[in-house]
C-alpha cells in the first residue's frame, strides 16, 4: 500500500490526512506533545486560554461543509462576542457590527484538532529534522534515527521550517525559502474576580498590542475570568530573544494602560511565544506539489494566516495528490 508522511498536526496536516487516509497508509508526525498547531488551548485550572487562533470564520462552501459535522456535535459553536476597537488608547464608542459568525472550538480551540485526529496515526513528540531520498523518502528524527520510509512526504510545518526540510531539488524550493512567517507573543491572564470590561474581543491600534479578548466569554470555558492578549507581529519580531519575564511585564503594563485596569492583580500569568504566527496575504493561492519527486507543502501561509486558509490550501493540495495517485 502507498505510504504518505505528513509533517505537522495542525489543521493543514490533519485535513490532508483525512482526505488521503482511504488511499494510502498515512502517518502524521508532530513535534509538540499534542495536535492542533496554532488552534491551541492551554489549561491552568480553573482557566482556559486559546493562546493561538482566537476564532475563525467560514466563507467558502467547502469549509462550511467541513465544519458542519463538528457544529452538529457541539465541537464548534458560535462566539456571540461584543466586538470593538481601541484607537488612541480609547475604546471605540460604537461597537463594530459584523454579521459573519465567529466560530470557536468547545471547550477549547484544540477540540477541533482532536476530533480530526481521532482516526489518524499521529506520532506526537516527534520532530523531523531531515528527509532523504534513497529510492523512497527516509525520515530522520532529532535523535538521528530513521523513523520511517515513505512514498510521499507532505510538509505542513511553517514555511521557514518547511524550507529547512525540503531538498533543493524540490520544484518550489525557491519560493519556500523566500517566504516568511513572523512571530507573536500571547499573554494569558486569569482572575478570581472579573474585570468590568465593555467588550469581549477588541482590535488594538497604535500599540505594541494588537488584540485583547475575554477568553472566558467563549462558550464552554467555565466561569473563571480570563483574558488573552496578542502582541503585534512587529514587536514580537524585535523582541523575540528578550527575557520572558521582561516581555510579560511590558505586555501587562501595556494591557493595563489600554483597558484602564491593572492586570497585575491576575492570579495566573503565563506567556507563549509563537515564532511563526502570521504571514502576508498571497495574491493567488500557492499550490506546492512536485509530483515527480512525490513531495508537497501546504499551509495557511500559501494563502493568508487563517484557519479557513489552512483548510482550503490543504484541501486543494490533498485532492491534487489524490488525483495523481489514482492516475498511477
Amino acid at each position: 500500500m502507498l505510504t504518505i508522511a505528513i509533517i505537522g498536526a495542525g489543521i493543514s496536516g490533519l485535513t490532508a490526512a483525512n482526505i488521503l487516509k482511504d488511499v494510502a497508509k498515512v502517518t502524521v508526525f508532530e513535534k509538540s506533545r499534542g495536535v492542533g498547531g496554532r488552534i491551541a488551548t492551554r489549561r491552568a485550572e480553573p482557566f482556559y486560554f486559546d493562546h493561538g487562533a482566537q476564532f475563525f470564520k467560514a466563507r467558502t462552501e467547502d469549509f462550511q461543509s467541513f465544519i458542519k459535522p463538528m457544529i452538529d456535535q457541539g465541537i464548534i459553536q458560535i462566539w456571540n462576542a461584543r466586538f470593538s476597537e481601541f484607537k488612541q488608547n480609547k475604546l471605540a464608542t460604537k461597537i463594530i457590527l459584523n454579521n459573519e459568525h465567529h466560530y470557536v472550538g468547545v471547550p477549547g480551540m484544540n477540540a477541533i484538532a482532536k476530533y480530526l485526529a481521532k482516526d489518524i496515526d499521529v506520532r506526537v513528540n516527534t520532530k523531523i529534522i531531515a528527509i532523504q531520498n534513497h529510492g523512497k523518502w527516509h525520515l530522520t528524527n532529532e535523535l538521528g534515527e530513521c523513523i520511517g520510509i515513505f512514498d510521499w512526504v507532505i510538509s505542513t510545518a511553517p514555511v521557514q521550517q518547511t524550507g529547512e526540510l525540503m531538498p533543493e531539488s524540490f520544484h518550489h524550493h525557491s519560493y519556500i525559502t523566500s517566504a516568511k512567517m513572523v512571530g507573536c507573543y500571547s499573554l494569558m491572564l486569569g482572575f478570581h474576580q472579573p474585570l468590568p470590561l465593555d467588550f469581549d474581543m477588541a482590535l488594538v491600534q497604535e500599540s505594541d498590542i494588537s488584540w485583547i479578548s475575554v477568553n472566558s466569554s467563549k462558550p464552554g470555558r467555565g466561569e473563571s475570568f480570563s483574558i488573552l492578549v496578542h502582541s503585534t507581529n512587529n514587536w514580537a519580531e524585535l523582541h523575540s530573544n528578550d527575557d520572558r519575564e521582561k516581555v510579560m511585564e511590558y505586555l501587562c503594563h501595556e494591557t493595563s494602560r489600554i483597558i484602564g485596569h491593572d492586570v497585575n492583580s491576575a492570579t495566573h500569568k503565563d506567556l507563549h511565544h509563537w515564532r511563526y504566527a502570521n504571514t502576508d496575504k498571497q495574491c493567488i493561492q500557492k499550490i506546492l506539489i512536485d509530483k515527480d519527486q512525490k513531495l508537497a507543502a501546504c499551509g495557511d501561509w500559501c494563502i493568508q494566516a487563517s484557519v479557513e486558509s489552512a483548510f482550503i490550501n490543504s484541501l486543494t493540495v490533498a485532492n491534487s495528490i489524490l488525483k495523481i495517485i489514482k492516475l498511477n
Side-chain angles (χ1 to χ4, degrees):
M1 190 176 190
L2 198 72
T3 54
I4 299 175
I6 297 176
I7 301 170
I11 285 290
S12 294
L14 295 174
T15 297
N18 276 280
I19 292 170
L20 296 168
K21 68 181 181 181
D22 293 333
V23 298
K25 185 179 186 303
V26 176
T27 307
V28 178
F29 297 95
E30 171 55 49
K31 67 177 182 178
S32 301
R33 62 183 180 181
V35 297
R38 280 169 285 144
I39 53 166
T41 302
R42 183 172 296 181
R43 297 185 184 183
E45 293 295 341
F47 306 111
Y48 287 76
F49 301 99
D50 299 317
H51 59 296
Q54 295 296 287
F55 63 87
F56 59 90
K57 299 177 183 180
R59 293 171 172 166
T60 62
E61 290 186 7
D62 283 335
F63 193 50
Q64 290 164 3
S65 298
F66 176 74
I67 66 173
K68 187 179 185 303
M70 288 182 274
I71 293 174
D72 292 342
Q73 296 179 50
I75 296 166
I76 291 175
Q77 295 183 28
I78 296 170
W79 181 19
N80 291 312
R82 297 170 297 166
F83 185 26
S84 196
E85 187 173 12
F86 283 93
K87 292 183 177 179
Q88 297 179 341
N89 301 325
K90 293 182 179 180
L91 189 65
T93 55
K94 183 179 180 181
I95 301 297
I96 299 171
L97 299 177
N98 193 322
N99 293 325
E100 289 184 292
H101 291 318
H102 296 81
Y103 292 105
V104 296
V106 177
M109 289 295 286
N110 63 352
I112 299 167
K114 290 179 179 179
Y115 172 85
L116 296 175
K118 63 182 180 180
D119 296 321
I120 304 297
D121 181 6
V122 181
R123 314 284 176 87
V124 296
N125 294 313
T126 306
K127 183 178 180 180
I128 305 301
I129 63 167
I131 59 173
Q132 297 173 314
N133 193 341
H134 301 289
K136 291 189 177 183
W137 293 106
H138 292 230
L139 272 61
T140 303
N141 67 9
E142 57 188 339
L143 299 176
E145 302 166 334
C146 178
I147 57 171
I149 301 172
F150 299 89
D151 297 295
W152 275 86
V153 176
I154 305 169
S155 177
T156 69
V159 66
Q160 286 98 315
Q161 294 176 337
T162 294
E164 293 169 359
L165 282 172
M166 287 293 182
E168 291 185 8
S169 58
F170 179 51
H171 183 67
H172 304 282
H173 193 264
S174 60
Y175 169 72
I176 59 176
T177 53
S178 64
K180 183 181 179 182
M181 295 183 74
V182 291
C184 175
Y185 280 106
S186 296
L187 175 66
M188 293 160 268
L189 302 169
F191 300 81
H192 282 321
Q193 296 296 326
L195 299 180
L197 302 180
D198 294 326
F199 65 91
D200 297 316
M201 63 165 99
L203 292 172
V204 183
Q205 305 289 347
E206 303 164 337
S207 171
D208 293 326
I209 286 172
S210 64
W211 173 266
I212 303 172
S213 68
V214 179
N215 202 84
S216 50
S217 69
K218 298 176 182 178
R221 267 59 175 185
E223 299 298 323
S224 298
F225 188 82
S226 59
I227 291 177
L228 193 287
V229 180
H230 278 161
S231 73
T232 64
N233 300 130
N234 287 340
W235 192 88
E237 288 292 290
L238 289 172
H239 298 273
S240 62
N241 297 318
D242 286 9
D243 177 80
R244 296 303 174 89
E245 288 299 321
K246 291 183 178 179
V247 170
M248 185 182 294
E249 181 182 347
Y250 177 75
L251 293 178
C252 283
H253 177 269
E254 280 293 282
T255 303
S256 300
R257 183 178 63 82
I258 291 166
I259 68 174
H261 298 280
D262 186 3
V263 300
N264 288 300
S265 63
T267 56
H268 176 83
K269 298 178 187 177
D270 201 359
L271 186 74
H272 183 83
H273 182 209
W274 295 99
R275 192 165 293 278
Y276 307 112
N278 205 350
T279 188
D280 292 334
K281 184 177 180 179
Q282 303 297 312
C283 296
I284 57 172
Q285 180 183 182
K286 304 294 184 184
I287 311 299
L288 308 179
I289 300 174
D290 186 333
K291 65 178 182 180
D292 295 325
Q293 296 196 77
K294 297 180 181 178
L295 292 173
C298 58
D300 61 350
W301 46 269
C302 292
I303 305 177
Q304 64 178 341
S306 74
V307 175
E308 185 167 16
S309 293
F311 165 79
I312 292 297
N313 188 246
S314 183
L315 175 71
T316 303
V317 168
N319 279 336
S320 298
I321 292 174
L322 196 62
K323 290 178 182 178
I324 292 169
I325 292 170
K326 289 181 177 180
L327 285 174
N328 294 333

